Amino acid sequence: MHRSIFLVITVVVAASGVLSQTPNISDPAVALFKQGRFAEAERLVDPLLKKHKSDFDSILLKGRIALFSNKLSDAEKWLTKAKELRPDSKETLAALAEVYYRRNELAKAGALLRQAGRDSIAKKLESFADQKAYEIEAKRDVTEVKFVQTDPLPLIKVKINDGEEVFFLIDTGGGEVIVDSEFATKNNITSFGTEQGTFGGGRQSAVQQGRIDSISLGDFRVKNLPVNILDTKRFAAVAGGRRVDGIIGTILLSRFLSTLDYPGAKLVLRKNTEANSKTLAKNKSV
């Protein structure tokens, strides 16, 4: 069964191509990084950094390894060093912006992307300067959202800005929430301009940058979300002929302890608390 959609959008930085030209780093380290073998890549980079403490390419690779390993403090440390060496490096600015995005410091991420010349996404992220993005409102610790369909992709019902229920696909290969362009126009969703999006197969196309007030999933309501805006009605065939008004990617799911329960045909969202983490770990060990 297919578990990922052919549409893949990378929200802040592209996962490939950032280190396509690294003359001072051994090819094996770069190759290992691109294969996702981060520990092995790091073992090759560390000796280089001991000999050449100010080598930009090695420092950037070290920072990206930490970022892709979700070691955000380490990533910030190394990417800040890389930025000090080359303040205008777009690769460094984008990677450092993702560190702050993952920490929910969206305005800080936006400022870095503005330096990189990505004004539309910068405007979007900077619009959260006085608000907490991805703010969760919930009276319970856990909620379940039934799948309308499971294959070829999970389809669920959500509410945008407290409106009527609409159909959204779940795409574990996607990033930010995507809202259909026609739906966005009808519902007066704010747009900040366009940004080049990366799609499956490396194709690129302009994607509008926007924000919504809230999205409701089951008993949970998440406020203040950055979104991408593009035509999702074309995915009706994937949704059994139903109109698709949006797509949920991993960025929203990462704000919870999320479970795609295919046998149970439901999305389970748990607040990311220590108690819930222990309960999940205990259940896995049984």
Side-chain angles (χ1 to χ4, degrees):
M1 292 184 290
H2 300 290
R3 295 305 189 201
S4 61
I5 199 168
F6 44 86
L7 169 67
V8 178
I9 293 183
T10 305
V11 180
V12 181
V13 292
S16 61
V18 174
L19 296 169
S20 58
Q21 295 181 340
T22 52
N24 297 324
I25 306 179
S26 64
D27 288 340
V30 176
L32 289 168
F33 170 77
K34 290 182 177 180
Q35 294 168 24
R37 297 161 66 181
F38 303 139
E40 296 171 66
E42 196 164 28
R43 282 196 290 270
L44 294 181
V45 172
D46 286 344
L48 295 174
L49 282 170
K50 288 182 179 179
K51 292 181 180 179
H52 308 285
K53 295 183 179 180
S54 297
D55 181 70
F56 170 79
D57 294 304
S58 297
I59 291 170
L60 176 58
L61 179 56
K62 181 82 171 180
R64 295 214 28 101
I65 290 170
L67 175 61
F68 277 69
S69 303
N70 210 35
K71 298 176 181 177
L72 299 185
S73 294
D74 287 344
E76 181 182 22
K77 169 188 169 183
W78 290 104
L79 292 171
T80 299
K81 286 185 177 181
K83 182 175 179 292
E84 290 170 354
L85 290 170
R86 293 189 191 175
D88 297 328
S89 165
K90 292 184 178 181
E91 293 88 350
T92 304
L93 291 168
L96 191 55
E98 182 156 340
V99 171
Y100 294 126
Y101 189 107
R102 291 189 192 183
R103 286 179 172 168
N104 237 18
E105 299 176 59
L106 269 57
K108 203 169 182 178
L112 288 167
L113 291 172
R114 185 174 294 282
Q115 292 180 52
R118 301 173 69 175
D119 289 342
S120 295
I121 192 169
K123 289 178 184 176
K124 174 176 74 171
L125 299 183
E126 288 172 342
S127 74
F128 293 93
D130 299 322
Q131 292 177 314
K132 180 180 178 181
Y134 297 102
E135 183 178 1
I136 300 168
E137 288 185 346
K139 295 180 179 179
R140 304 170 54 193
D141 277 352
V142 183
T143 192
E144 296 182 354
V145 186
K146 287 289 185 181
F147 292 166
V148 176
Q149 70 170 41
T150 301
D151 291 309
L153 287 171
L155 184 73
I156 61 174
K157 292 181 180 180
V158 307
K159 292 181 180 180
I160 301 296
N161 296 346
D162 297 322
E164 297 181 355
E165 285 188 329
V166 291
F167 294 114
F168 269 48
L169 289 167
I170 298 176
D171 173 20
T172 57
E176 283 184 340
V177 168
I178 299 171
V179 176
D180 177 66
S181 50
E182 184 178 322
F183 179 90
T185 299
K186 288 183 178 179
N187 290 274
N188 299 313
I189 291 175
T190 303
S191 175
F192 298 90
T194 60
E195 171 85 7
Q196 285 298 108
T198 302
F199 296 75
R203 294 179 297 112
Q204 289 195 331
S205 181
V207 179
Q208 288 187 68
Q209 301 298 309
R211 59 173 293 166
I212 57 176
D213 295 331
S214 67
I215 182 170
S216 298
L217 306 99
D219 296 320
F220 288 179
R221 183 170 180 261
V222 186
K223 297 169 56 180
N224 307 323
L225 282 80
V227 297
N228 291 311
I229 302 171
L230 58 94
D231 177 19
T232 62
K233 296 188 301 299
R234 55 194 166 127
F235 299 118
V238 184
R242 302 176 184 87
R243 176 189 171 106
V244 177
D245 280 315
I247 300 170
I248 292 173
T250 56
I251 290 180
L252 177 58
L253 295 179
S254 71
R255 268 50 187 183
F256 304 94
L257 299 174
S258 302
T259 302
L260 289 169
D261 180 356
Y262 288 100
K266 60 188 176 182
L267 169 67
V268 183
L269 300 175
R270 296 174 175 84
K271 288 183 180 178
N272 193 358
T273 63
E274 185 176 353
N276 280 339
S277 295
K278 288 182 178 178
T279 299
L280 281 175
K282 182 179 179 181
N283 291 340
K284 288 180 181 179
S285 64
V286 175

